[in-house]
Amino acid sequence: DVQPMTGATARVKLLKPCNFEWIVDGTRMDGFLAHEAQEVVPESVQGTKDAMRNETDEEGNVTSVPDMQGIDQSKLVPLLVKTIQELEARITALEDA
Protein backbone atom coordinates (compact mmCIF):
# COMPACT_ATOMS: atom_id res chain seq x y z
CA ASP A 1 0.00 0.00 0.00
CA VAL A 2 2.51 2.62 -1.16
CA GLN A 3 1.13 6.15 -1.14
CA PRO A 4 2.79 9.49 -1.87
CA MET A 5 3.76 11.52 1.19
CA THR A 6 1.91 14.81 1.60
CA GLY A 7 2.06 17.70 4.04
CA ALA A 8 5.73 17.21 4.93
CA THR A 9 6.51 20.92 5.24
CA ALA A 10 3.69 21.41 7.74
CA ARG A 11 4.99 18.50 9.82
CA VAL A 12 8.61 19.75 9.75
CA LYS A 13 7.38 23.11 11.05
CA LEU A 14 6.06 21.27 14.13
CA LEU A 15 9.49 19.87 15.02
CA LYS A 16 11.35 21.81 17.72
CA PRO A 17 15.11 21.54 17.18
CA CYS A 18 17.12 22.62 20.21
CA ASN A 19 20.63 22.71 21.63
CA PHE A 20 21.09 20.80 24.86
CA GLU A 21 23.70 19.53 27.27
CA TRP A 22 23.92 15.85 28.22
CA ILE A 23 23.71 15.40 31.99
CA VAL A 24 26.16 12.47 31.88
CA ASP A 25 29.18 14.25 30.39
CA GLY A 26 28.25 17.88 29.72
CA THR A 27 28.55 17.49 25.94
CA ARG A 28 26.43 20.04 24.03
CA MET A 29 24.68 19.08 20.83
CA ASP A 30 21.86 20.01 18.48
CA GLY A 31 18.92 17.67 18.31
CA PHE A 32 15.36 17.04 19.44
CA LEU A 33 13.69 16.13 22.70
CA ALA A 34 12.36 12.64 22.07
CA HIS A 35 8.89 13.19 23.52
CA GLU A 36 8.44 16.30 21.34
CA ALA A 37 9.64 14.57 18.16
CA GLN A 38 7.36 11.63 18.98
CA GLU A 39 4.33 13.90 18.57
CA VAL A 40 5.33 14.65 14.96
CA VAL A 41 7.16 11.50 13.79
CA PRO A 42 6.12 8.75 16.23
CA GLU A 43 7.97 6.01 14.35
CA SER A 44 11.28 7.78 15.03
CA VAL A 45 11.12 7.40 18.82
CA GLN A 46 11.53 4.35 21.02
CA GLY A 47 10.47 4.29 24.65
CA THR A 48 8.06 6.24 26.82
CA LYS A 49 8.51 9.73 28.27
CA ASP A 50 9.62 9.67 31.93
CA ALA A 51 9.68 5.85 32.02
CA MET A 52 11.62 4.13 34.79
CA ARG A 53 13.14 0.66 35.00
CA ASN A 54 14.59 -1.39 37.83
CA GLU A 55 18.32 -2.02 37.89
CA THR A 56 19.95 -4.57 40.17
CA ASP A 57 23.54 -4.04 41.35
CA GLU A 58 26.12 -6.70 42.22
CA GLU A 59 24.85 -6.96 45.81
CA GLY A 60 21.28 -7.54 44.64
CA ASN A 61 20.04 -4.04 45.52
CA VAL A 62 17.29 -2.86 43.21
CA THR A 63 17.24 0.78 42.17
CA SER A 64 14.74 2.56 39.95
CA VAL A 65 16.54 4.42 37.16
CA PRO A 66 15.36 6.43 34.14
CA ASP A 67 14.65 4.34 31.03
CA MET A 68 15.58 6.96 28.46
CA GLN A 69 13.80 7.40 25.16
CA GLY A 70 15.82 7.26 21.97
CA ILE A 71 15.45 8.83 18.55
CA ASP A 72 16.31 7.04 15.31
CA GLN A 73 17.32 10.14 13.32
CA SER A 74 17.22 8.19 10.05
CA LYS A 75 13.43 8.00 10.36
CA LEU A 76 13.33 11.80 9.94
CA VAL A 77 15.10 11.70 6.56
CA PRO A 78 12.07 10.89 4.33
CA LEU A 79 10.14 13.75 5.95
CA LEU A 80 13.02 16.15 5.37
CA VAL A 81 13.53 15.06 1.74
CA LYS A 82 9.82 15.49 0.98
CA THR A 83 9.90 18.93 2.62
CA ILE A 84 12.79 19.96 0.35
CA GLN A 85 10.82 18.72 -2.66
CA GLU A 86 7.71 20.65 -1.59
CA LEU A 87 9.70 23.83 -1.01
CA GLU A 88 11.53 23.44 -4.32
CA ALA A 89 8.18 23.15 -6.10
CA ARG A 90 6.95 26.32 -4.38
CA ILE A 91 10.13 28.20 -5.38
CA THR A 92 9.82 27.03 -8.99
CA ALA A 93 6.16 28.12 -9.10
CA LEU A 94 7.10 31.56 -7.77
CA GLU A 95 9.94 31.91 -10.28
CA ASP A 96 7.63 30.93 -13.16
CA ALA A 97 4.89 33.34 -12.07
Side-chain angles (χ1 to χ4, degrees):
D1 183 26
V2 178
Q3 299 177 12
M5 184 186 286
T6 60
T9 304
R11 289 177 63 201
V12 165
K13 287 176 158 182
L14 296 174
L15 290 171
K16 300 173 186 172
C18 59
N19 181 276
F20 57 88
E21 182 178 311
W22 287 101
I23 295 170
V24 175
D25 63 7
T27 303
R28 293 206 69 81
M29 68 179 300
D30 297 329
F32 300 97
L33 300 181
H35 67 279
E36 292 178 354
Q38 190 171 37
E39 294 174 7
V40 181
V41 189
E43 64 274 16
S44 71
V45 178
Q46 303 83 39
T48 304
K49 182 182 184 310
D50 298 327
M52 301 293 285
R53 62 181 168 81
N54 289 332
E55 199 171 84
T56 306
D57 66 16
E58 295 163 356
E59 288 88 38
N61 300 313
V62 178
T63 307
S64 185
V65 297
D67 189 10
M68 301 294 190
Q69 287 182 293
I71 299 178
D72 180 351
Q73 306 274 350
S74 68
K75 299 277 173 62
L76 300 174
V77 173
L79 182 64
L80 298 175
V81 170
K82 183 60 178 178
T83 298
I84 292 168
Q85 292 172 341
E86 288 176 0
L87 295 175
E88 179 64 28
R90 289 174 59 193
I91 291 167
T92 300
L94 289 170
E95 289 174 343
D96 292 345

